[in-house]
């Protein structure tokens, strides 16, 4: 039954029988047969079939909620038994928004010092993708904004407040200032994250509130691309304070606080809302709370 439920979850996520079978490590006929057997056991049709996957039936949507819960509980049970025998071990899968990637090491490094049997997988994803991956059990935890767009049913640990700075080279407009307003930023050639990133939507929101808008001269979903353009001295950007602190901008690059308003948004760790959490996730939540205390002490 568990295998069949995992087949069904994979199909709902991939929306394609072939891809779902590949993810599950089985042949397509095996996956199709397993889902048909699940339908027979439950006495309802779960999948709308044609020449290709056409979606889930209303009953299928209901079963999907139960399937995720049952499979999640099963994974928790297995992990607890493994931890009881061998101590905390395994792999923790984390997805983080690009602006939070630089601080992930402050969470993973002390965690692994306490639990050397644990390894990590860290992905860069949009805030929407973080929540989708979490709901589909494709990650164990995410790092994303907590207070700007709906999160759904998750457990969250606030880590830090993201504040914004103009990153620009000496000699560019405003580079000699101690602060700059959101309204003044429209005069600069900016490179920003792409609109599918929540950080970009936050920036656009504050610019609109200041009565202005920006048409960036470059957009990218990669922070490395933005950094490389800033270092040419010909581009400026808007970045969170914690990011500029982590990368340690120095001459000839300046980080200038943006005011009117002095905006901030909370970033934190999110995990599926469930009790009990797996031992790995429980330990990660504890580490996140310790990191949050450290952030508060520093700021």
């Amino acid at each position: 039954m568990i295998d069949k439920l995992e087949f069904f979850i994979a199909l709902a996520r991939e929306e394609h029988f072939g891809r779902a079978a590949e993810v599950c490590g089985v042949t397509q006929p095996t996956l199709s047969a397993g889902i048909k057997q699940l339908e027979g056991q439950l006495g309802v049709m779960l999948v709308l079939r044609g020449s290709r996957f056409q979606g889930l039936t209303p009953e299928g949507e209901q079963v999907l909620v139960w399937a995720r819960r049952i499979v999640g509980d099963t994974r928790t049970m297995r992990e607890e038994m493994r931890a009881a025998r061998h101590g905390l071990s395994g792999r923790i899968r984390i997805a983080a928004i690009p602006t939070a990637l630089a601080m992930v090491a402050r969470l993973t490094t002390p965690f692994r010092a306490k639990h050397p049997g644990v390894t990590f997988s860290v992905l860069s994803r949009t805030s929407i993708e973080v929540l989708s991956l979490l709901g589909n059990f494709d990650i164990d935890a995410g790092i994303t904004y907590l207070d700007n767009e709906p999160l759904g049913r998750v457990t969250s640990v606030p880590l830090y407040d993201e504040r914004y700075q103009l990153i620009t080279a000496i000699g560019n407009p405003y580079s000699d200032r101690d602060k700059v307003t959101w309204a003044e930023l429209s005069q600069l050639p900016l490179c920003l994250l792409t609109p599918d990133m929540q950080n970009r939507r936050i920036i656009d929101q504050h610019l609109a509130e200041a009565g202005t808008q920006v048409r960036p001269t470059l957009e990218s979903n990669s922070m490395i691309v933005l950094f490389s353009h800033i270092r040419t001295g010909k581009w400026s950007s808007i970045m969170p304070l914690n990011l500029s602190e982590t990368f340690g901008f120095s001459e000839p690059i300046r980080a200038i606080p943006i005011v009117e308003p002095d905006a901030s948004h909370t970033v934190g760790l999110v995990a599926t809302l469930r009790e009990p959490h797996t031992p790995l996730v429980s330990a990660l939540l504890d580490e996140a709370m310790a990191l949050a205390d450290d952030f508060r002490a520093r700021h």
Side-chain angles (χ1 to χ4, degrees):
M1 174 65 81
I2 299 299
D3 288 344
K4 293 167 190 172
L5 292 175
E6 289 186 331
F7 290 172
F8 181 58
I9 291 171
L11 179 61
R13 180 178 64 246
E14 300 296 330
E15 299 183 344
H16 187 280
F17 281 93
R19 288 197 299 269
E22 185 177 349
V23 166
C24 293
V26 299
T27 65
Q28 184 170 330
T30 298
L31 181 130
S32 297
I35 290 176
K36 285 182 179 179
Q37 290 168 11
L38 182 62
E39 290 175 324
Q41 288 175 291
L42 298 176
V44 293
M45 293 292 293
L46 303 176
V47 179
L48 297 171
R49 292 179 177 83
S51 58
R52 63 186 64 186
F53 177 84
Q54 295 180 347
L56 302 182
T57 65
E59 295 82 1
E61 296 287 356
Q62 288 180 280
V63 169
L64 181 61
V65 174
W66 281 101
R68 287 170 172 164
R69 185 180 305 172
I70 293 167
V71 169
D73 286 344
T74 303
R75 291 177 179 175
T76 300
M77 178 185 66
R78 288 171 177 163
E79 192 175 302
E80 284 190 354
M81 295 305 99
R82 185 173 68 243
R85 293 194 309 271
H86 307 296
L88 209 59
S89 63
R91 177 177 292 269
I92 297 180
R93 302 161 300 168
I94 300 172
I97 55 174
T99 55
L101 285 171
M103 59 71 55
V104 175
R106 296 190 58 184
L107 182 65
T108 55
T109 303
F111 185 96
R112 194 165 185 279
K114 297 172 186 172
H115 309 289
V118 175
T119 59
F120 294 90
S121 170
V122 180
L123 305 173
S124 175
R125 292 291 184 269
T126 68
S127 57
I128 293 173
E129 289 170 335
V130 168
L131 296 179
S132 176
L133 291 168
L134 198 62
N136 286 324
F137 297 104
D138 290 326
I139 58 173
D140 302 296
I143 300 175
T144 187
Y145 296 101
L146 301 185
D147 61 357
N148 189 57
E149 295 177 357
L151 291 174
R153 291 172 56 81
V154 298
T155 297
S156 63
V157 177
L159 293 175
Y160 61 90
D161 289 330
E162 186 178 86
R163 287 183 165 80
Y164 305 95
Q165 296 189 323
L166 170 66
I167 310 299
T168 193
I170 291 176
N172 285 340
Y174 311 132
S175 64
D176 59 343
R177 301 265 291 271
D178 293 327
K179 57 187 176 181
V180 63
T181 68
W182 287 93
E184 291 172 318
L185 299 178
S186 61
Q187 307 301 315
L188 298 175
L190 293 175
C191 53
L192 300 174
L193 288 172
T194 49
D196 59 326
M197 299 291 179
Q198 193 172 165
N199 171 266
R200 172 63 185 282
R201 295 195 291 276
I202 287 171
I203 288 171
D204 287 347
Q205 170 193 330
H206 290 305
L207 289 168
E209 290 170 351
T212 190
Q213 63 178 0
V214 165
R215 292 183 179 176
T217 48
L218 182 141
E219 297 175 321
S220 177
N221 63 358
S222 167
M223 298 304 299
I224 297 299
V225 171
L226 300 189
F227 285 133
S228 65
H229 281 77
I230 292 168
R231 291 197 178 281
T232 66
K234 305 298 183 182
W235 309 70
S236 301
S237 190
I238 302 168
M239 291 188 177
L241 170 62
N242 66 291
L243 201 60
S244 61
E245 287 179 341
T246 299
F247 282 90
F249 286 115
S250 58
E251 304 290 348
I253 305 297
R254 288 204 63 211
I256 305 166
I258 305 173
V259 297
E260 298 182 23
D262 180 13
S264 69
H265 293 273
T266 303
V267 174
L269 185 79
V270 293
T272 304
L273 183 63
R274 59 179 300 112
E275 286 294 341
H277 289 290
T278 68
L280 283 174
V281 171
S282 292
L284 189 66
L285 290 169
D286 289 343
E287 194 64 49
M289 286 186 276
L291 178 59
D293 290 340
D294 181 52
F295 274 121
R296 281 192 292 271
R298 290 176 60 240
H299 294 285

